[in-house]
């Protein structure tokens, strides 16, 4: 897994260990089956961008061969 700088910053600012665990659990779910979640790329974009949602968080990521690149993490908790 590769985390973009913004995603790393969000992880560092999450309010509790529980929040970090929830985000990491969603990232692990995505890592196991990255194409199970919707492709949300803009029309004409060549980058495959997908999003997955948990109870209080979401991740935006790019699947790569054998890995994912986490571009953005959101927290609504």
């Amino acid at each position: 897994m590769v985390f973009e700088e913004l995603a790393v910053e969000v992880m560092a600012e999450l309010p509790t260990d529980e929040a970090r665990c929830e985000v990491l659990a969603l990232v692990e779910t995505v890592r196991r089956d990255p194409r199970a979640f919707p492709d949300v790329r803009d029309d004409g974009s060549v980058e495959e961008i997908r999003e997955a949602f948990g109870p209080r968080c979401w991740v935006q990521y790019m699947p790569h061969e054998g890995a994912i690149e986490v571009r953005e993490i959101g927290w609504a908790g």
Side-chain angles (χ1 to χ4, degrees):
M1 279 180 277
V2 175
F3 285 79
E4 291 287 325
E5 187 176 333
L6 178 60
V8 171
E9 289 175 16
V10 171
M11 284 294 290
E13 294 176 5
L14 289 173
T16 64
D17 286 341
E18 180 184 356
R20 281 183 284 284
C21 286
E22 184 176 322
V23 170
L24 290 174
L26 181 58
V27 169
E28 177 60 19
T29 299
V30 165
R31 187 196 63 77
R32 282 186 269 126
D33 192 4
R35 290 196 166 74
F37 299 93
D39 188 340
V40 296
R41 74 180 110 182
D42 293 330
D43 291 338
S45 175
V46 295
E47 293 182 323
E48 181 180 355
I49 308 293
R50 293 181 177 265
E51 290 180 339
F53 293 85
R56 297 178 291 176
C57 64
W58 67 92
V59 295
Q60 185 181 78
Y61 64 96
M62 292 175 54
H64 297 284
E65 189 63 38
I68 62 168
E69 177 182 343
V70 179
R71 296 176 52 129
E72 186 175 338
I73 295 171
W75 179 254

